[in-house]
Amino acid sequence: MTYTEVPGARVPIRMWADPATVEPVAMQQLRNVSTLPWIEGLAVMPDVHFGKGATVGSVIAMRGAVCPAAVGVDIGCGMSAVKTSLTANDLPGDLSRLRSKIEEAIPVGFAMHDDPVDPRRLHGLPTAGWDDFWGRFDGVAEAVKFRQSRALKQMGSLGSGNHFVEFCLDETGSVWLMLHSGSRNIGKELAEYHIGEARKLSHNQNLVDRDLAVFIADTPQMAAYRHDLFWAQEYARHNREIMMALFQDVVRKEFKKAKPMFEPVISCHHNYVAEETYEGVDLLVTRKGAIRAGGGEFGIIPGSMGTGSYIVRGLGNEASYNSASHGAGRRMSRNKAKKLFTERDLAEQTRGVECRKDRGVVDEIPAAYKPIEQVMDQQRDLVEVVAKLKQIVCVKG
C-alpha cells in the first residue's frame, strides 16, 4: 500500500497503516507530537501502537531538536542476524541441548556475566575502537557513572521483555542466527536521567504532553544528551556484536563436524536517533520502533516467537524518511495477554519451537502481536523481502 496522510495535522503525518485500525490513544499521541514547533514531519509504520513517550512505529523528523522520551528508555534497541552454511539436514531431532547451550553462553533476564567479556577472545569479532568507546564513558552524565561496573558485565547479555535469541530456518532450509536486544540497564539509566532534565527546561512547560519535552540545538543540555545518546547507541551495537559472537561459538561447538561458516552479520537499530538530510534540510530523525530502509540497505523485521521474521532490503522511500517497521507490533498490552491466554495457549501457538512455554512468557504469545504477513503487505513500497525465516529455537529474556 501507499501511505495515507492524516488530515488536520500541522505537519504531514504519513501513515502506512489503515487509520481506522489504529488505537485512538496512539492517534492522539501522533497528533500531540505534530504540535511541536520543531517538527518537520512524521511517518507512521504498519506496526504502529500506543507507547510510553511516543507512539511505537513512528518516525519523527525534527529540525534542531530531539525528544528523549520519544527515543525511549532502551536506546539503540535493535536486531542482528547472520546466515550460516548449516542446513536443516545438519540438525538433531532434539534441539533442547542447543537451547540450553545458548542460555549458558548468553545471560538472560536480569542476569549478567560474572566478569566482563573480553572481545579479543571471541572468534572473528572486530575490536578496533573498543578502548576509545569505553574511554568516552568518562563523558556521560555524572548521575550514572557509578553504573560502569554493571555496564561492563551486562555487555553481551540479552535482557528481558521481548528480547530474544533465535535459531531459524529460511525457506531454502538454510540456518540463520538472529537476536534482539539493546543498551541494557545503562541505556535505561541514561534515558531516564535526560528525560528528567528535559522536563525541567522552561521551553517545555506548556506542552500538551510532558513526555514530549525536547532538547534544543546549540544548548549545553542538547550537547550532553547527544553525547550520551550516541554512546548508548554504540553500546547497544557492541552488545549485539558480542552476543552474536558468543552465539556463533555455541554453534561451532555444537555442530563441529559440519564446520559451520557465517556470512557477514546484518544489524540494525530500531529505537534511535540519526542525523539525516531531506530536501536539503538537516534533521534529527527519531525512529521509535522503526528501522532505516535506505535504498539497498539490509534490515530485519521480526514477527512473534511462534510465527516468522523477514530479512529485507530497503527501497529508499523518502516519504517515510527511508524507514520501515521494526516488527509485527503488539495488538494488546502485556497485562491483557496474561489475562486472556494460558500456558496451554502458548504451547499450542509455539508448537514446533524449542522455547519456554511457562507462565512467565505468556505475555509474548504470538496472538498478542499483529500478523506479520499483514504488516509486510502494508509496506511493499518501503522494503523488499530477501528471506523469510521461521524460528525453531527461541530463547526469551
Side-chain angles (χ1 to χ4, degrees):
M1 66 176 288
T2 56
Y3 66 83
T4 300
E5 191 155 324
V6 177
R10 191 184 66 81
V11 297
I13 302 179
R14 304 183 187 105
M15 183 172 290
W16 277 261
D18 180 356
T21 67
V22 180
E23 312 146 282
V25 286
M27 288 296 293
Q28 188 58 52
Q29 275 190 322
L30 294 168
R31 291 184 182 279
N32 288 347
V33 171
S34 75
T35 66
L36 295 175
W38 308 275
I39 288 285
E40 262 321 278
L42 288 149
V44 185
M45 301 296 102
D47 58 342
V48 58
H49 61 93
F50 177 79
K52 174 66 175 173
T55 320
V56 179
S58 64
V59 182
I60 304 169
M62 301 181 78
R63 191 190 300 215
V66 67
C67 173
V71 183
V73 296
D74 196 358
I75 298 171
C77 185
M79 302 284 303
S80 293
V82 62
K83 186 178 182 180
T84 80
S85 60
L86 298 173
T87 70
N89 295 330
D90 296 311
L91 306 183
D94 184 359
L95 292 167
S96 60
R97 173 185 164 90
L98 176 60
R99 176 186 155 205
S100 296
K101 291 298 181 181
I102 296 169
E103 291 171 340
E104 287 176 13
I106 300 174
V108 303
F110 293 107
M112 64 188 84
H113 293 280
D114 293 334
D115 298 297
V117 176
D118 184 350
R120 291 164 293 193
R121 300 182 65 180
L122 294 175
H123 188 281
L125 184 68
T127 58
W130 186 255
D131 291 337
D132 174 69
F133 163 71
W134 280 110
R136 282 186 280 118
F137 188 83
D138 290 341
V140 305
E142 291 290 339
V144 302
K145 281 189 178 178
F146 69 100
R147 297 286 189 187
Q148 182 168 18
S149 175
R150 185 173 183 179
L152 282 161
K153 292 179 180 179
Q154 284 192 325
M155 178 71 80
S157 65
L158 187 63
S160 56
N162 62 353
H163 293 163
F164 62 78
V165 178
E166 290 184 341
F167 192 87
C168 309
L169 293 174
D170 67 18
E171 293 180 307
T172 71
S174 293
V175 170
W176 288 69
L177 314 183
M178 187 166 66
L179 57 84
H180 170 213
S181 191
S183 52
R184 304 296 285 108
N185 187 255
I186 192 64
K188 175 179 179 291
E189 293 285 337
L190 287 168
E192 290 177 343
Y193 168 77
H194 286 289
I195 290 169
E197 292 299 293
R199 286 174 174 166
K200 300 174 188 176
L201 299 174
S202 58
H203 62 262
N204 291 320
Q205 298 312 301
N206 296 312
L207 300 175
V208 294
D209 182 347
R210 66 194 304 263
D211 280 333
L212 297 181
V214 304
F215 293 118
I216 298 175
D218 302 320
T219 63
Q221 295 89 351
M222 172 68 111
Y225 178 61
R226 284 170 64 101
H227 175 278
D228 292 1
L229 169 73
F230 292 130
W231 184 88
Q233 289 179 183
E234 196 170 344
Y235 181 101
R237 178 174 60 83
H238 285 310
N239 184 41
R240 291 195 295 273
E241 286 174 344
I242 288 180
M243 278 192 288
M244 185 59 79
L246 293 169
F247 194 2
Q248 290 179 1
D249 279 350
V250 169
V251 171
R252 287 189 187 94
K253 292 172 183 174
E254 292 300 300
F255 297 92
K256 190 177 295 184
K257 289 184 179 179
K259 298 180 180 178
M261 295 181 291
F262 306 92
E263 293 189 2
V265 175
I266 299 168
S267 185
C268 58
H269 291 322
H270 57 222
N271 273 17
Y272 76 113
V273 177
E275 298 169 320
E276 298 177 4
T277 302
Y278 294 91
E279 298 181 352
V281 180
D282 294 333
L283 301 173
L284 285 165
V285 178
T286 299
R287 294 185 175 90
K288 170 78 176 283
I291 63 170
R292 180 173 163 85
E297 297 176 355
F298 286 101
I300 308 161
I301 303 177
S304 66
M305 65 188 288
T307 54
S309 301
Y310 290 85
I311 306 298
V312 299
R313 185 184 292 112
L315 296 177
N317 190 327
E318 292 203 356
S320 72
Y321 298 105
N322 289 325
S323 303
S325 78
H326 84 312
R330 296 193 73 92
R331 62 179 176 185
M332 68 180 68
S333 69
R334 295 184 181 278
N335 286 336
K336 184 175 180 180
K338 287 178 181 178
K339 291 176 182 176
L340 196 59
F341 297 106
T342 65
E343 292 168 70
R344 181 179 295 181
D345 296 324
L346 177 64
E348 178 64 28
Q349 293 183 31
T350 58
R351 184 179 295 178
V353 182
E354 173 58 43
C355 64
R356 287 177 59 188
K357 301 177 191 284
D358 57 83
R359 189 68 190 164
V361 291
V362 167
D363 58 335
E364 282 293 299
I365 193 168
Y369 286 83
K370 297 177 182 179
I372 185 64
E373 292 78 11
Q374 174 186 312
V375 168
M376 296 304 298
D377 185 60
Q378 290 176 313
Q379 56 186 340
R380 293 192 306 273
D381 60 340
L382 303 183
V383 293
E384 60 182 356
V385 174
V386 174
K388 181 179 180 180
L389 312 184
K390 176 68 175 71
Q391 68 273 75
I392 53 176
V393 176
C394 176
V395 173
K396 271 287 181 185

